[in-house]
Amino acid sequence: MATISKLSNPNPVASLSSSSKPRSSSSLKCFVGFPTRPGFCSKLVSSSSLSSINTHPFRGSLVVRCSLADGNGSSVKRTTLHDLYEKEGQSPWYDNLCRPVTDLLPLIASGVRGVTSNPAIFQKAISSSNAYNDQFRELVQSGKDIESAYWELVVKDIQDACKLFEPIYDQTDGGDGYVSVEVSPRLADDTNGTIEAAKYLHEVVDRPNVYIKIPATAPCIPSIKEVIANGISVNVTLIFSLARYEAVIDAYLDGLEASGLSDLSRVTSVASFFVSRVDTLIDKMLEMIGTPEALDLRGKAAVAQAALAYRLYQKKFSGPRWEALMKKGAKKQRLLWASTSVKNPAYPDTLYVAPLIGPDTVSTMPDQALQAFIDHGTVSRTIDANVSEAEGIYSALEKLGIDWGKVGSQLEDEGVESFKKSFDSLLDTLQEKANTLKFVIS
């Protein structure tokens, strides 16, 4: 592959320009990023100039809450994201990635501790930006085919992002600071192809804090075990049901046991449990049923199932089997809440973040959810605050004829198909660009 350039400064704080650092002042002041295009950018605005903040419902751009350090009168940039991690043990991640990756620096300073990406994110980033043109032109001129060129564009972004989050990875002894990159969605039904793709991406990215994303499809469950057994850290994605989630946990445990490693501390994993899409589908089913009981359950299915997933997590990562792995340094496969943006505007904009706060979890948030939670999110342990209520909702939905297994299968199929569509669309876009370049060159 072509040489991948490295960012020169591994320290995110030191990399920030002087204009982006909080200044000492007698008045409370911090700096926040306002997006001028899809995603965040590094344009910085002083919060002391804002005339109105924290309005509900949230409709503005990113608003960062700040607090003064005790005793010395100097201002310290602090957000609810810092509290989320420090007080409740949940890691806030950002569900987006585009060039320049240095746009992540204000987010890291605001408390973001990792990044997730997927084919849809890269489709949007590459097709809507000119930032990839120079590298793509070089790749085409060197004779690379379109898909190979795509992966080189992706690998560079992942490597550069990994460099920014490396200090967090080091500070937590490999517990946080990860950047995720997904294998080709075309491999969702290919067990061996997924294993080979994961090994390839792990090798070419060559960063300790990269997660290789593998979908939780039935053919890929054995892939997860094999990849973990090879000492490769994995983000298991597209989990929509409790049954499939348990299979994912078992694949992780099986992989650790099969690895033969005496030190398991550097093989880690997250299980990405999707949330909002569950409500989107089940709400439609409830509206078709149409009874008052059914309509009253709208917007409750996803959070209820997530709470039961956390209970399953607690059960599976305890007892003699897990204790034996812990003695070898194994880390728990953290639950990661994905699909946290609200699809129904009638729902609170932190619906899939605020009720899912708990220790040893991750919440990956796209722009909308991240901005909303920073602006008016409340930090407190909520994920297991009322498990009995979650059980009641789950059972009530079953009694109404909702088949959780079928819901999970449909959402999985739709998720895989959506990522395939994004992947194919991006390759088509790159082919068009390549054809234009060849025409210009000739």
Side-chain angles (χ1 to χ4, degrees):
M1 296 185 68
T3 301
I4 306 295
S5 63
K6 299 179 181 178
L7 297 183
S8 59
N9 196 333
N11 187 338
V13 176
S15 299
L16 287 169
S17 65
S18 60
S19 65
S20 66
K21 297 177 182 177
R23 304 166 185 165
S24 296
S25 172
S26 58
S27 63
L28 179 60
K29 181 184 290 188
C30 71
F31 290 81
V32 295
F34 283 75
T36 57
R37 65 172 195 278
F40 287 86
C41 79
S42 53
K43 181 180 179 182
L44 300 171
V45 180
S46 168
S47 64
S48 64
S49 67
L50 298 176
S51 59
S52 176
I53 63 171
N54 200 26
T55 57
H56 298 264
F58 179 70
R59 295 189 181 91
S61 297
L62 179 61
V63 180
V64 177
R65 288 179 178 172
C66 304
S67 58
L68 290 176
D70 293 335
N72 61 13
S74 62
S75 60
V76 175
K77 182 174 181 177
R78 187 170 187 84
T79 78
T80 51
L81 301 184
H82 294 106
D83 291 340
L84 192 62
Y85 177 74
E86 293 168 15
K87 294 181 180 180
E88 299 300 337
Q90 182 174 80
S91 296
W93 289 6
Y94 182 46
D95 191 30
N96 198 12
L97 183 60
C98 60
R99 294 187 185 179
V101 296
T102 48
D103 279 0
L104 294 169
L105 290 171
L107 294 175
I108 294 172
S110 296
V112 168
R113 304 180 62 81
V115 159
T116 49
S117 69
N118 59 47
I121 284 172
F122 277 114
Q123 191 271 337
K124 181 178 179 181
I126 297 174
S127 63
S128 64
S129 170
N130 293 324
Y132 296 86
N133 287 0
D134 289 345
Q135 184 190 2
F136 181 65
R137 183 181 296 107
E138 292 175 4
L139 292 168
V140 170
Q141 290 176 351
S142 70
K144 293 287 183 181
D145 63 80
I146 296 302
E147 189 165 349
S148 296
Y150 162 80
W151 284 112
E152 294 215 22
L153 296 175
V154 167
V155 165
K156 174 168 170 47
D157 279 8
I158 297 297
Q159 288 182 317
D160 289 350
C162 281
K163 195 68 176 174
L164 294 183
F165 284 94
E166 196 172 306
I168 295 174
Y169 176 84
D170 291 339
Q171 290 159 12
T172 57
D173 193 27
D176 219 347
Y178 287 89
V179 178
S180 297
V181 58
E182 190 161 347
V183 299
S184 169
R186 293 173 174 174
L187 299 172
D189 296 321
D190 185 342
T191 303
N192 292 328
T194 294
I195 294 169
E196 293 308 311
K199 289 179 180 178
Y200 171 77
L201 283 173
H202 175 73
E203 180 181 351
V204 296
V205 174
D206 192 25
R207 296 290 186 272
N209 57 326
V210 65
Y211 268 144
I212 308 303
K213 289 182 78 172
I214 297 175
T217 57
C220 286
I221 295 297
S223 309
I224 296 162
K225 173 189 172 181
E226 184 65 22
V227 172
I228 290 292
N230 276 270
I232 297 171
S233 295
V234 174
N235 176 343
V236 184
T237 189
L238 294 177
I239 304 172
F240 295 98
S241 69
L242 296 177
R244 186 54 55 85
Y245 174 47
E246 185 166 16
V248 166
I249 297 174
D250 288 339
Y252 176 62
L253 298 176
D254 291 345
L256 291 177
E257 291 169 340
S259 70
L261 296 171
S262 57
D263 179 11
L264 296 172
S265 62
R266 293 298 168 181
V267 187
T268 69
S269 181
V270 291
S272 295
F273 203 99
F274 280 56
V275 192
S276 68
R277 296 188 195 182
V278 173
D279 273 347
T280 300
L281 177 56
I282 290 183
D283 281 1
K284 292 178 182 177
M285 295 177 173
L286 294 172
E287 287 168 1
M288 289 181 67
I289 295 170
T291 64
E293 182 187 6
L295 297 177
D296 187 56
L297 288 170
R298 288 177 297 179
K300 298 179 181 179
V303 170
Q305 183 179 227
L308 298 182
Y310 187 75
R311 184 178 66 177
L312 179 59
Y313 158 83
Q314 291 176 309
K315 176 184 176 182
K316 298 287 285 190
F317 289 99
S318 62
R321 184 186 188 189
W322 175 244
E323 289 168 4
L325 290 168
M326 279 183 63
K327 290 178 181 178
K328 294 184 178 182
K331 293 183 171 73
K332 295 177 181 178
Q333 181 188 53
R334 291 186 295 172
L335 258 171
L336 180 152
W337 308 121
S339 182
T340 54
S341 62
V342 173
K343 308 296 192 294
N344 187 335
Y347 294 162
D349 52 9
T350 59
L351 176 61
Y352 303 115
V353 180
L356 303 179
I357 297 173
D360 302 320
T361 59
V362 178
S363 181
T364 189
M365 294 171 266
D367 296 323
Q368 173 197 23
L370 187 70
Q371 293 176 21
F373 191 76
I374 288 176
D375 178 60
H376 50 265
T378 300
V379 174
S380 64
R381 179 166 176 164
T382 53
I383 183 60
D384 50 4
N386 201 336
V387 177
S388 60
E389 181 181 349
E391 287 179 324
I393 292 170
Y394 193 89
S395 297
L397 288 163
E398 286 183 318
K399 290 177 182 177
L400 287 171
I402 302 298
D403 186 326
W404 285 96
K406 289 183 179 179
V407 167
S409 295
Q410 180 176 334
L411 290 171
E412 179 186 297
D413 291 343
E414 291 174 357
V416 169
E417 191 58 37
S418 175
F419 284 164
K420 284 182 180 177
K421 184 177 179 181
S422 295
F423 187 76
D424 292 342
S425 174
L426 178 54
L427 293 185
D428 289 342
T429 299
L430 290 176
Q431 184 63 64
E432 291 173 5
K433 284 190 176 184
N435 292 341
T436 301
L437 286 172
K438 290 175 182 177
F439 176 77
V440 171
I441 293 169
S442 61

